[in-house]
Amino acid sequence: MPRKATYGKQAKASKAERLFAELPQSPMRKPPTRRAAAKSKDLEPVTVKDLTEQLSEIQIREESSDIEEVQKVVGKPSKQATQEEPSVSDESEESTPATSEAEDAVDSEEELESEEDSYAETTLRILSWEDVCPHGDRIEKIAEASYAEVYRVTNDRGTSIIKVIRLHSPIKAKTKAQERAKLVDEEPHAEEDINGELQISEWLADIPGFVVYKERYVVQGKTTRQLLETHQVFQRRMKRQDPGRAQFYPSPSRYLDDTRFLVVELGDAGIALEDWKLTTESQLWDIFFLVAVALARAEDLAMFEHRDLHESNLCIRKVNEPRTRPSNSRGRFYGYSGLDITILDYGLSRAEDLSIDYADPVSNDLEKDLSFFTSTHAPQCKVYRQMRSFLLRADRLCLPPEEHTTPYAKGIDGPLSWDVFAPYTNVLWLAYLYSYLVGNFRGEKKELQNFRCTTEELWKYLNPEASDEVPCFSCAADVVGFGVEAGWITESQLAGSAHSILEREESIIVPRDDDEDETAALRRSPRRSQYRQSIIE
């Protein structure tokens, strides 16, 4: 029998604690204005080399019995970084005329940045919808993300996922029928609106479990029949599932010659969890802990929070044949389903570059759209409220929708800011995932009952509605640590699961006017090309 985890009562550091103690700890972040302050002598600097070596491949080593006591795996949820000092808002033009040399310099810098952005825009390839999916290729709309439509494109070069974001450009007015249907157009975006998501994609690309970034380009012009048909099929399917659901993205029939989209091409991630049929207990174990391990590594590598990890943003694919769990597995449950997962959509996510001291975090200011927290149309809306309630109160109490109507409300640390690192939000989404897996299981009841009984103590600490006296996990790393300590996951599994950093994928979209030689030689995105060159050298 595996030793049962008794958190808060160990006489010495557990294996799980040693595992995560060896990783670089998430540092406390000070406001930029205090950059010149002296560093504590008790803290030893963590180098970039330390980060990459320890996080790309987690190694487990046995410590001597006199190892120093490390912090407990389970505790109260806590924000692991101090909140950034609010920036001073600019005064109006009327009250402060731009007369000083400093202000003139700022204006010049802004103009220069604007020119650079404009130049960057022109460097992207400009394709047509016929280039993206010519006759004979397959395109299927599979999801609608925070501000993008998501399609799967398949041709003889492979399969890609493309995220389609409408840029500021003309579009045909709604028809009377579309107005009667109460169609709501998603607002167009500027390219810089998604630069943060692309940056996060780069930071996470080498962590197993995160989507592979291939390329981005602009697509301009009228639709194709295939694109229109898959859009209509998707909308009909969504209406059957939710008759009251609004259509938030304009029909491709309204695209004009000058309608422009930014398209981000990603590696094929498989099937969305919401469309995957859960039939075996091993699938429950693997999906849950594959996600937890991926989030734990991302927390350490980039102080990452996903903040939108519902069933549409998690994909499943079969990579091996499932195996029967042997009778002598000694409590191990992880690694038998043959499945792999991919976490998608960083539109609401938060991360930062830990190789730069006092780097500004990349995050989405959710205070600009409080409908995330006041909506009740989908189960995940409650998790949005739980996240915001935690930032305001630093406890597990979830405030009702009517308490989320004031932007930048004052919390225990001052005005609310989504820049802070609060990895407890990852725990909230893991709790949501656990509930979804259990609630949508379609296999034998005996297997589901066994999973729930075995993970009863895990859910006790994971449950966001537990009473105040119950300890809880503060980050995804705590959840993984619990699984290791309970014997469900072995140390060798964690050490060996970084193999997918070697996977490299290429763009499959080829313009029609490319010559045959260029078509035969599949293009490689700049970042991947650089990686390949560095390996060769």
Side-chain angles (χ1 to χ4, degrees), residues 446-484:
K446 182 179 179 180
E447 291 194 43
L448 177 60
Q449 184 64 25
N450 183 61
F451 176 77
R452 297 187 69 171
C453 288
T454 308
T455 58
E456 182 178 0
E457 189 178 7
L458 170 75
W459 176 247
K460 177 182 177 181
Y461 302 133
L462 192 64
N463 184 4
E465 297 180 359
S467 57
D468 290 342
E469 61 270 15
V470 177
C472 67
F473 301 116
S474 63
C475 58
D478 288 354
V479 179
V480 177
F482 187 99
V484 173

Side-chain angles (χ1 to χ4, degrees), residues 30 51 74 79 94 99 150 168 182 187 208 219 242 298 333 344 349 353 360 513 527 532 534:
K30 297 181 179 181
L51 287 171
V74 174
K79 301 176 195 174
E94 296 178 2
T99 56
V150 185
H168 290 284
K182 299 181 179 179
E187 289 295 320
V219 176
D242 182 5
F333 291 93
L344 307 175
S349 298
D353 186 353
D360 291 332
D513 56 357
R527 187 174 68 87
R532 183 177 178 85
S534 66

Side-chain angles (χ1 to χ4, degrees), residues 181-193:
K182 299 181 179 179
L183 184 147
V184 181
D185 284 354
E186 169 73 10
E187 289 295 320
H189 295 270
E191 184 183 337
E192 53 267 23
D193 290 349

Side-chain angles (χ1 to χ4, degrees), residues 344-358:
L344 307 175
D345 192 2
Y346 316 134
L348 305 186
S349 298
R350 183 259 186 231
E352 63 183 276
D353 186 353
L354 295 185
S355 67
I356 302 175
D357 288 339
Y358 308 103

Side-chain angles (χ1 to χ4, degrees), residues 27 53 83 106 108 110 116 149 158 195 278 285 303 329 336 395 432 465 519-520:
E53 288 181 353
Q83 183 170 333
V106 170
S108 299
E110 290 177 349
E116 290 174 349
E149 297 175 273
N195 283 344
L278 298 162
W285 283 103
M303 297 178 73
S329 61
Y336 296 104
D395 61 21
Y432 178 87
E465 297 180 359
T519 301

Side-chain angles (χ1 to χ4, degrees), residues 226-270:
Q226 285 177 285
L227 185 69
L228 178 59
E229 288 177 350
T230 189
H231 175 89
Q232 293 171 338
V233 169
F234 179 86
Q235 294 303 331
R236 286 196 293 268
R237 187 172 81 243
M238 292 298 102
K239 280 291 186 182
R240 287 195 298 270
Q241 296 176 3
D242 182 5
R245 180 182 183 276
Q247 179 178 326
F248 288 100
Y249 291 90
S251 168
S253 63
R254 296 170 57 199
Y255 298 174
L256 301 172
D257 289 334
D258 295 328
T259 306
R260 291 163 63 92
F261 298 86
L262 180 65
V263 174
V264 180
E265 185 179 356
L266 307 167
D268 184 22

Side-chain angles (χ1 to χ4, degrees), residues 195-318:
N195 283 344
E197 180 176 0
L198 295 176
Q199 180 63 76
I200 292 176
S201 297
E202 287 289 310
W203 290 338
L204 304 181
D206 288 337
I207 301 178
F210 289 92
V211 70
V212 174
Y213 169 77
K214 293 186 177 182
E215 193 175 348
R216 61 173 168 166
Y217 30 81
V218 171
V219 176
Q220 177 176 331
K222 294 182 178 180
T223 187
T224 61
R225 177 177 293 275
Q226 285 177 285
L227 185 69
L228 178 59
E229 288 177 350
T230 189
H231 175 89
Q232 293 171 338
V233 169
F234 179 86
Q235 294 303 331
R236 286 196 293 268
R237 187 172 81 243
M238 292 298 102
K239 280 291 186 182
R240 287 195 298 270
Q241 296 176 3
D242 182 5
R245 180 182 183 276
Q247 179 178 326
F248 288 100
Y249 291 90
S251 168
S253 63
R254 296 170 57 199
Y255 298 174
L256 301 172
D257 289 334
D258 295 328
T259 306
R260 291 163 63 92
F261 298 86
L262 180 65
V263 174
V264 180
E265 185 179 356
L266 307 167
D268 184 22
I271 300 174
L273 177 58
E274 62 183 341
D275 297 321
W276 183 273
K277 189 175 181 181
L278 298 162
T279 56
T280 66
E281 181 184 353
S282 63
Q283 292 178 349
L284 303 180
W285 283 103
D286 285 1
I287 291 173
F288 180 83
F289 275 105
L290 282 167
V291 174
V293 170
L295 290 176
R297 285 176 169 156
E299 286 172 351
D300 281 293
L301 179 65
M303 297 178 73
F304 174 77
E305 302 171 51
H306 191 282
R307 296 179 173 175
D308 197 21
L309 192 48
H310 52 76
E311 61 272 22
S312 297
N313 288 337
L314 179 62
C315 284
I316 314 296
R317 58 187 176 129
K318 181 180 176 182

